[in-house]
Amino acid sequence: MWLSSAVFTIFVVTPVVFAINFPYESIQLKDSDVGNNSDIAFGKLPVHASPRCKSYPGYESWPSTDRWGAFNVSLGGALLRGIPPAAACYEGEYKDAAACAVVRRRQGDALFAKEDPLIPFGQWQLDNPCPVPSFNVTPPLLECNLTAFPNYVVNASSVKDIQLAVNFARNNNIRLTIKNTGHDWIGRNTGGGALQVWVHRLKAFEYLPSFQVGKYKGQAARVGIALEQHEVYKNMAKANITLLAPGSPTVGAYAGFMQGGGFSYVTSRYGLMADQVLALEVITADGKFVHADPEENADLFWALRGGGPSNFGITTSAIVKAYPPTTISRSDFYIQTGPIFDNSTTSIRVSNETFWKAVNVYFSHNLRIQDAKGIMWNFINTQGPSPWSPERTFTLQSQITKPGITADGMKELMAPLIKDMNDAGIALPNPEPHFWETYADFGTIPGGPTGATSSGRFGSRLIPRSNFEDPKSKAFLKTIASIRSFVEEGGYNFHSVDYAPTIETAGYPGSNSAVSQYMRNTVMHMTGYDNTQYTPDLTDEEWKSSHARLNSYVNKWRDASPGSGAYMNEADTEEPNFQDSFYGDHYDRLLQIKNQRDPWRVFYAVTGVASDEWKVEGTRGLPTQQGRLCKVDA
Ligand SMILES: Cc1cc2nc3c(=O)[nH]c(=O)nc-3n(C[C@H](O)[C@H](O)[C@H](O)COP(=O)(O)OP(=O)(O)OC[C@H]3O[C@@H](n4cnc5c(N)ncnc54)[C@H](O)[C@@H]3O)c2cc1C
Ligand SMILES: *[C@@H]1O[C@H](CO)[C@@H](O)[C@H](O)[C@H]1NC(C)=O
Ligand SMILES: *[C@@H]1O[C@H](CO)[C@@H](O)[C@H](O)[C@H]1NC(C)=O
Ligand SMILES: *[C@@H]1O[C@H](CO)[C@@H](O)[C@H](O)[C@H]1NC(C)=O
Ligand SMILES: *[C@@H]1O[C@H](CO)[C@@H](O)[C@H](O)[C@H]1NC(C)=O
Ligand SMILES: *[C@@H]1O[C@H](CO)[C@@H](O)[C@H](O)[C@H]1NC(C)=O
Ligand SMILES: *[C@@H]1O[C@H](CO)[C@@H](O)[C@H](O)[C@H]1NC(C)=O
Ligand SMILES: *[C@@H]1O[C@H](CO)[C@@H](O)[C@H](O)[C@H]1NC(C)=O
């Protein structure tokens, strides 16, 4: 349907740009490199009608091994075959007992998965096609299905490598996927039979004491697109500044995290990661390398900040806002209905009835904490019955964090909450806060990387500010009731991070970006986890019924927040009406930019802008990413 639009006859003129942040960006694809090689030629308009499906290994349209070989030569040998490490555990040409032992030992290790070009964090998205056999099992358990993975990977070390990949994929109608750390929850970083661009090595940093663009003048930093949270903390310590950073050590700070919004422990004070960005370097769908900022390629600059990853281009670096160093403090406590075994944190045991009263009191302080620029982070979990606890029990774990505050100030911030708890019969003392001299120090909290691979699924919801304005209101009580029902009846674990990335906090240029109005108005990002692991041994029916049950409880959150949406980076791929829920009022403009910038549809990601034009063939149960990508209506 998009091919019929007249929009594609307009040529988008992009000026030649010399705004290069790092040396890897000065290595670019030149017309003289392309010559008459049509495999790697830049994209030209108009766009011709393309086949119904993307090319896929085994089909006639798939390039020959010789053509892939020639492509590898143009890449200087940076092309890898798409062989997942667990292939070493299966009969066949990749069998390797020593390599298999390594995979078995490290399968649960985020540091292993993020260093591999093929292992996505979320395993169910490919239907876990090459499971790592456990220690007590002699392989082969199931077949290691290589077809389900990206078929080739460009191990990119320059802009040129990425330009070549974009051009080769576009010219040969091949699905293109992009992997940075691989931490995407929902499969936007992988796809069967794809050419994968691995941007993970584009790491660099430079502090800029003064930088000016548009109406911004101040401190900033140039950042390589692949920097992870722990690397951001290290660099900010060295430069004696504050930069926004993701919540987990191995999440990438500036790629998928930023393009989907990106919230942090300091978001109520400094905004989202999308709000930090002052300029971007991008490879667009035609293979060109362009600069985007509030004044140049402003459409791309707008769309790339909050308009969803893997949609409009491949970014290689950014310039982000920097702030003076700040103190930060955090107050932790537990309230639980079961016995307390550990007195190292502030924990208090209460009855079931009092527990839910505590939850109510707790969230009635949401707006007060947010208006003070703090955030609330919590889990409401259910356990047992188990041998240690013959009854089912509940736990509320809370961390309240605020930058720019002393430990004493934190205790004062907590005091009204503690008083209300005490008045409700919960003898919680005001916890001794943790305190860090700088936000960079906060980043060195011991515990190491979290987040191995996962076959779990979840649902999510953004709850608007209006639900919290009056703790006696129907909206507030309905919100709390929906959380209670999720945990008590549903038997699921609940997690929320309560932050407020308002338009005012976003400032310039953040307030003018693709971040949805639902994000701007929220004070609570709810997530809830399915108890089922979506592994290959489950039947289609089991996948569907487990998901339907989870969804029926997430629907109660939706009912409690009509007219809101969800945070696209931590959401269900089956989110109803994702176009509105993830993008809000911006979807139409984003689709227009998509049509202008990517009329070839080089970029596809599940739940991405215009992704509803496509479906993945041959997936079972619920949509997954391993099959051939085809247009919905031929
Ligand atoms: C353990 C864990 C903790 C998390 N904590 C937080 C948190 O605190 N706050 C929060 O907001 N979110 C959090 N998330 C969610 C996070 O925002 C997403 O997982 C995000 O997609 C990660 O981006 P990435 O670049 O690291 O991962 P990847 O999976 O490598 O990439 C994510 C998406 O970005 C695309 N992409 C990658 N590089 C580029 C590029 N250069 N140009 C264009 N597209 C690109 C990929 O194709 C994919 O669609 C967390 C996730 C996990 C697993
Ligand atoms: C492509 O260019 C080379 C020289 O650079 C030439 O030898 C060759 O014949 C050309 N091929 C085509 C199809 O034009
Ligand atoms: C690409 O070339 C390099 C060396 O030139 C080689 O090591 C590598 O295996 C090749 N990749 C593929 C997919 O053949
Ligand atoms: C990717 O390329 C770099 C630099 O050439 C190399 O050190 C690294 O081993 C490559 N990664 C893989 C998985 O081949
Ligand atoms: C860090 O910066 C702050 C203010 O921006 C300054 O007061 C402090 O002295 C600096 N510390 C170091 C070690 O440079
Ligand atoms: C609990 O507190 C006591 C007394 O302060 C201490 O001796 C003990 O080690 C603590 N136990 C745990 C598990 O932290
Ligand atoms: C608390 O509630 C759970 C679930 O509703 C129930 O199983 C448990 O028995 C209750 N505990 C007590 C002490 O009543
Ligand atoms: C491997 O995965 C592909 C993509 O889903 C599928 O078409 C194919 O049937 C699978 N092969 C086997 C043997 O399961």
Side-chain angles (χ1 to χ4, degrees):
M1 63 189 137
W2 47 271
L3 277 173
S4 60
S5 167
V7 137
F8 307 122
T9 53
I10 302 163
F11 210 102
V12 184
V13 182
T14 41
V16 180
V17 179
F18 302 97
I20 286 162
N21 287 320
F22 298 114
Y24 62 76
E25 291 169 321
S26 62
I27 307 166
Q28 299 177 15
L29 183 66
K30 297 187 290 287
D31 287 332
S32 57
D33 300 322
V34 175
N36 60 11
N37 182 349
S38 60
D39 272 348
I40 58 169
F42 289 101
K44 286 209 176 64
L45 297 176
V47 173
H48 302 292
S50 52
R52 191 177 74 85
C53 295
K54 294 273 183 182
S55 194
Y56 197 77
Y59 286 81
E60 210 180 313
S61 61
W62 192 250
S64 65
T65 309
D66 282 355
R67 297 244 309 282
W68 283 106
F71 176 50
N72 192 13
V73 170
S74 62
L75 284 163
L79 189 68
L80 312 172
R81 276 296 316 280
I83 312 297
C89 300
Y90 292 82
E91 294 302 329
E93 69 176 297
Y94 305 106
K95 190 170 178 182
D96 178 338
C100 176
V102 173
V103 182
R104 281 176 147 170
R105 186 161 45 79
R106 300 198 61 192
Q107 61 179 323
D109 179 350
L111 293 179
F112 183 69
K114 84 177 173 72
E115 295 305 330
D116 188 274
L118 282 176
I119 308 178
F121 181 87
Q123 296 284 298
W124 65 261
Q125 286 92 353
L126 296 176
D127 205 1
N128 201 1
C130 190
V132 178
S134 53
F135 284 103
N136 53 359
V137 170
T138 310
L141 250 187
L142 292 153
E143 189 194 355
C144 175
N145 189 346
L146 297 181
T147 318
F149 289 90
N151 215 251
Y152 286 97
V153 178
V154 171
N155 178 8
S157 63
S158 68
V159 160
K160 181 180 175 180
D161 291 343
I162 300 175
Q163 292 178 295
L164 283 164
V166 168
N167 287 349
F168 191 85
R170 188 193 56 252
N171 294 330
N172 289 295
N173 187 38
I174 290 170
R175 182 173 180 181
L176 185 79
T177 55
I178 312 160
K179 186 183 193 250
N180 175 32
T181 67
H183 274 62
D184 198 62
W185 289 111
I186 64 175
R188 295 174 301 184
N189 56 9
T190 190
L195 172 59
Q196 177 128 305
V197 179
W198 193 33
V199 299
H200 182 60
R201 288 170 43 244
L202 304 183
K203 294 181 192 268
F205 183 88
E206 185 190 352
Y207 171 56
L208 304 172
S210 83
F211 177 76
Q212 189 166 3
V213 67
K215 284 180 271 175
Y216 183 85
K217 194 163 186 285
Q219 299 185 77
R222 296 183 206 274
V223 292
I225 217 66
L227 290 178
E228 295 161 39
Q229 184 240 47
H230 61 103
E231 294 161 326
V232 174
Y233 276 122
K234 252 177 238 138
N235 283 306
M236 80 173 98
K238 218 182 287 169
N240 187 30
I241 51 174
T242 297
L243 298 168
L244 194 95
S248 284
T250 51
V251 172
Y254 303 114
F257 174 83
M258 184 289 283
Q259 291 181 30
F263 71 83
S264 158
Y265 288 114
V266 295
T267 279
S268 295
R269 167 76 180 79
Y270 299 101
L272 299 169
M273 186 57 92
D275 301 335
Q276 311 307 310
V277 176
L278 299 165
L280 287 162
E281 306 306 314
V282 197
I283 290 123
T284 46
D286 56 6
K288 297 278 166 61
F289 182 55
V290 305
H291 173 83
D293 71 23
E295 295 173 336
E296 204 174 310
N297 290 307
D299 62 327
L300 262 186
F301 184 66
W302 181 83
L304 282 164
R305 293 171 303 136
S310 205
N311 256 326
F312 302 99
I314 304 184
T315 51
T316 56
S317 72
I319 298 179
V320 294
K321 291 181 178 180
Y323 311 92
T326 180
T327 60
I328 185 162
S329 184
R330 198 186 78 204
S331 180
D332 302 352
F333 63 82
Y334 278 87
I335 294 175
Q336 60 196 76
T337 66
I340 293 165
F341 299 110
D342 173 358
N343 56 8
S344 61
T345 52
T346 305
S347 305
I348 185 125
R349 188 176 184 180
V350 298
S351 69
N352 274 351
E353 193 196 341
T354 309
F355 180 84
W356 294 108
K357 223 187 274 175
V359 169
N360 187 309
V361 169
Y362 177 69
F363 287 120
S364 74
H365 284 263
N366 180 320
L367 289 197
R368 194 180 59 79
I369 305 283
Q370 311 249 5
D371 290 346
K373 309 280 183 204
I375 75 152
M376 298 167 88
W377 173 103
N378 47 75
F379 276 94
I380 302 174
N381 289 354
T382 178
Q383 304 84 20
S386 72
W388 302 274
S389 172
E391 304 212 316
R392 249 186 84 200
T393 57
F394 302 98
T395 327
L396 164 65
Q397 179 191 9
S398 167
Q399 297 183 347
I400 295 175
T401 307
K402 178 173 147 52
I405 197 172
T406 60
D408 284 347
M410 191 68 200
K411 271 190 110 156
E412 275 170 44
L413 182 70
M414 292 295 290
L417 167 58
I418 301 300
K419 178 173 186 307
D420 282 357
M421 288 280 188
N422 296 163
D423 290 351
I426 303 143
L428 184 69
N430 196 337
E432 275 318 308
H434 301 269
F435 174 76
W436 295 269
E437 212 42 74
T438 66
Y439 178 54
D441 292 344
F442 173 83
T444 59
I445 296 172
T450 49
T453 55
S454 157
S455 287
R457 296 187 64 136
F458 55 84
S460 72
R461 190 69 178 169
L462 293 168
I463 308 297
R465 184 179 176 92
S466 54
N467 283 36
F468 290 87
E469 264 155 11
D470 175 8
K472 293 196 178 61
S473 68
K474 270 201 181 122
F476 179 80
L477 296 173
K478 199 168 173 182
T479 305
I480 305 304
S482 73
I483 296 171
R484 178 171 180 171
S485 154
F486 190 83
V487 179
E488 194 179 41
E489 288 166 46
Y492 300 116
N493 290 332
F494 171 90
H495 176 47
S496 87
V497 188
D498 308 338
Y499 53 84
T502 63
I503 283 275
E504 293 72 34
T505 305
Y508 177 87
S511 58
N512 184 17
S513 77
V515 170
S516 80
Q517 77 268 26
Y518 306 133
M519 286 291 273
R520 292 302 182 201
N521 294 336
T522 196
V523 290
M524 176 188 256
H525 162 52
M526 289 180 166
T527 46
Y529 305 93
D530 202 338
N531 301 327
T532 299
Q533 290 294 300
Y534 287 73
T535 49
D537 50 308
L538 259 54
T539 65
D540 293 14
E541 278 318 307
E542 284 166 331
W543 274 47
K544 281 190 208 160
S545 64
S546 187
H547 180 267
R549 183 176 186 278
L550 178 76
N551 194 53
S552 71
Y553 284 93
V554 175
N555 275 339
K556 299 189 185 196
W557 302 350
R558 295 183 181 123
D559 288 347
S561 57
S564 188
Y567 172 42
M568 71 173 83
N569 277 355
E570 295 188 344
D572 186 0
T573 48
E574 304 310 298
E575 173 74 14
N577 194 7
F578 77 86
Q579 296 89 336
D580 178 65
S581 188
F582 295 169
Y583 303 90
D585 292 345
H586 296 322
Y587 192 77
D588 290 346
R589 184 171 168 200
L590 285 166
L591 185 58
Q592 221 172 27
I593 295 171
K594 176 81 177 169
N595 286 338
Q596 283 168 354
R597 291 290 185 170
D598 185 14
W600 304 272
R601 299 304 194 247
V602 175
F603 301 115
Y604 162 86
V606 61
T607 71
V609 172
S611 61
D612 49 351
E613 294 169 1
W614 302 90
K615 69 173 188 326
V616 175
E617 272 195 338
T619 68
R620 67 177 188 104
L622 295 165
T624 44
Q625 295 303 313
Q626 73 272 40
R628 193 163 68 135
L629 191 62
C630 295
K631 284 176 200 158
V632 172
D633 8 86

